[in-house]
Amino acid sequence: MARTRKRRRVEVRRVPRSDGYLPEYDRSAVPEGLATRRQLREMGLSPGGHDPVAVLRCKLCATRPQWSCGHPTRGFLFRVDLARPKRTPTLAQEWALDRAMAARSTCPRCRRRYHFCLPLRTQGVCDPCDKGYEPSPDTYTHSPSPVDHRLAA
């Protein structure tokens, strides 16, 4: 019988709040001009290499205003006025990403490129090749993938 893995408890250090750390805000009290990474991404911006200016407290620490939030669920807030527009990838980067995704979504046996990543580490081939049935045409593309061009050359 397999041994169950013991979960380590993550010890959260309780540190009293002081002026030496970044200012902390609860989720409902964030001032204008500060945003998390996810909010910046939705606006089409990136932090631009700037350090965070404040900490967004987790839900649990919102009930303990005298303690500093040290949980891994806390977020960091960045200034929106210092944020930069997201970089657009070059054509070579887009080609490299397309080739990488083609390698993950192309079956090595039947050479069909699917619209999803295949379980190549566990099965090695797509489900239709593994189980022996014909896939529906709406699950794969009919056009040759970049992997096919590389193997044909």
Side-chain angles (χ1 to χ4, degrees), residues 117-129:
C117 294
L118 299 175
L120 297 177
R121 283 191 178 191
T122 55
Q123 283 180 246
V125 292
C126 62
D127 277 341
C129 289

Side-chain angles (χ1 to χ4, degrees), residues 21 24-25 47 56 59 66 75 97 118-119 145:
Y21 297 116
E24 295 183 3
Y25 297 103
L56 181 66
K59 291 179 188 177
Q66 71 275 12
L97 287 173
L118 299 175
S145 66

Side-chain angles (χ1 to χ4, degrees), residues 9-71:
R9 290 192 60 168
V10 177
E11 298 270 337
V12 177
R13 291 187 334 216
R14 294 184 67 179
V15 180
R17 289 179 80 176
S18 70
D19 296 332
Y21 297 116
L22 293 174
E24 295 183 3
Y25 297 103
D26 293 330
R27 295 181 186 274
S28 60
V30 176
E32 285 290 320
L34 296 181
T36 61
R37 283 185 188 271
R38 185 171 291 178
Q39 291 168 340
L40 287 175
R41 189 180 334 126
E42 288 173 0
M43 291 186 262
L45 302 171
S46 69
H50 296 287
D51 292 331
V53 294
V55 174
L56 181 66
R57 295 167 59 96
C58 66
K59 291 179 188 177
L60 179 68
C61 291
T63 61
R64 299 180 178 103
Q66 71 275 12
W67 295 102
S68 178
C69 181
H71 292 100

